[in-house]
């Protein structure tokens, strides 16, 4: 019995040592001002040779290993991003913008487990600003603009899943949905629950949806609009995404 116990302890120690030897996934850095896509993205600043930040976010997405983080420096990036693997996309709060311009969606998620934090998204094209057609997207501390003079959505979900904020564990969304044209804040066409608690819908009365009497903020629409959990609301950015307004209401 004693030998068996010692054997089991030895196996446990070997397994623990093996786990400890697994290196963390290195982040990739992007800087639109000082970077170059010919560099490896392993450093936030240029070091020598090919060691330095990438210049475009899409190049950073391509370079990072699955499960890693792409750290994007402040600035405006005129890009149409596509993510099809697991990663975290992190910006400098209120200072990092992904602008799809008239070219298309600012962000399309097609696969993977994706987390986005501290970014501003906008587009001038007649498409959703953020389009989720697969995988999963967790979005926190972001500002999403719906294009002016268009009839699209800040966030469109046709497949996969989205987590835009939950009261569970205090993991609030702290996102702001800006509707500039005649479009919507969220268009949910996927028959899956979409938590979206503690977000700013552009009105103290909350989003426009049948279940929110008097709500006149950004609209929640789609065949599965009823599965969007938008209450309580508020908690969006005041001037930057590190400064939050007080929650203003519940339905």
């Amino acid at each position: 019995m004693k030998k068996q116990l010692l054997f089991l302890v030895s196996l446990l120690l070997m397994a623990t040592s093996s786990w400890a030897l697994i290196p963390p996934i290195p982040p990739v850095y992007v800087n639109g001002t000082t970077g170059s896509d010919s560099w490896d993205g392993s450093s936030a600043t240029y070091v020598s040779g090919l060691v330095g930040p990438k210049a475009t976010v899409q190049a950073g997405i391509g370079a990072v290993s699955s499960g890693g983080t792409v750290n994007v420096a402040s600035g405006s990036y005129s890009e149409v991003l596509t993510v099809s693997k697991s990663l975290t996309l992190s910006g400098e709060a209120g200072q990092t913008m992904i602008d799809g311009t008239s070219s298309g969606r600012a962000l399309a998620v097609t696969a993977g487990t994706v987390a986005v934090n501290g970014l501003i998204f906008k587009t001038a094209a007649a498409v959703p600003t953020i389009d989720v057609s697969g995988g999963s997207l967790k979005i926190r501390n972001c500002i999403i603009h719906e294009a002016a003079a268009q009839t699209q959505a800040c966030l469109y979900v046709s497949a996969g899943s989205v987590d835009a904020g939950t009261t569970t564990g205090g993991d609030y969304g702290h996102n702001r949905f800006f509707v500039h044209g005649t479009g919507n804040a969220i268009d949910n066409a996927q028959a899956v629950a979409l938590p979206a608690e503690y977000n700013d819908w552009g009105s103290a009365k909350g989003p426009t949806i049948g279940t929110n009497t008097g709500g006149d903020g950004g609209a929640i629409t789609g065949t599965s609009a009823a599965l969007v959990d938008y209450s309580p609301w508020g908690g969006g950015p005041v001037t930057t995404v590190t400064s939050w307004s007080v929650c203003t209401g519940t339905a």
Side-chain angles (χ1 to χ4, degrees):
M1 181 68 181
K2 192 172 182 180
K3 288 183 178 179
Q4 290 177 327
L5 183 60
L6 288 172
F7 177 70
L8 289 173
V9 170
S10 299
L11 285 177
L12 181 61
L13 288 173
M14 285 189 292
T16 304
S17 299
S18 298
W19 294 333
L21 292 173
I22 299 174
I25 299 171
V28 168
Y29 297 91
V30 176
N31 191 310
T33 303
T34 64
S36 169
D37 283 347
S38 64
W39 298 341
D40 61 8
S42 65
S43 173
T45 58
Y46 179 68
V47 178
S48 63
L50 298 179
V51 179
K54 295 287 187 182
T56 63
V57 183
Q58 192 65 57
I61 291 170
V64 74
S65 297
S66 180
T69 297
V70 180
N71 293 305
V72 187
S74 61
S76 181
Y77 297 80
S78 297
E79 298 187 54
V80 178
L81 303 180
T82 298
V83 180
S84 58
K85 64 182 176 183
S86 298
L87 57 80
T88 296
L89 197 60
S90 182
E92 295 186 19
Q95 302 178 59
T96 305
M97 177 183 291
I98 309 300
D99 186 352
T101 64
S102 59
S103 300
R105 298 162 178 79
L107 173 65
V109 177
T110 61
T113 301
V114 181
V116 175
N117 185 73
L119 288 157
I120 302 169
F121 295 96
K122 64 180 292 189
T123 183
V127 293
T129 307
I130 297 177
D131 188 333
V132 179
S133 60
S136 66
L137 172 65
K138 178 178 181 178
I139 185 166
R140 296 291 187 273
N141 310 322
C142 290
I143 300 172
I144 308 104
H145 293 271
E146 176 262 348
Q150 303 295 352
T151 57
Q152 298 296 321
C154 295
L155 171 62
Y156 175 61
V157 187
S158 61
S161 64
V162 170
D163 174 359
T166 176
T167 55
T168 303
D171 192 13
Y172 306 145
H174 289 318
N175 302 297
R176 170 171 282 178
F177 296 93
F178 272 113
V179 178
H180 300 280
T182 56
N184 313 303
I186 295 178
D187 183 347
N188 186 30
Q190 170 72 329
V192 174
L194 197 165
E197 299 172 320
Y198 280 90
N199 292 301
D200 188 331
W201 304 93
S203 169
K205 297 178 181 179
T208 299
I209 185 172
T211 53
N212 182 29
T213 303
D216 59 359
I220 297 174
T221 63
T223 55
S224 297
L227 295 178
V228 179
D229 186 0
Y230 59 85
S231 178
W233 58 80
V238 178
T239 53
T240 70
V241 293
T242 56
S243 177
W244 307 113
S245 58
V246 176
C247 179
T248 55
T250 58

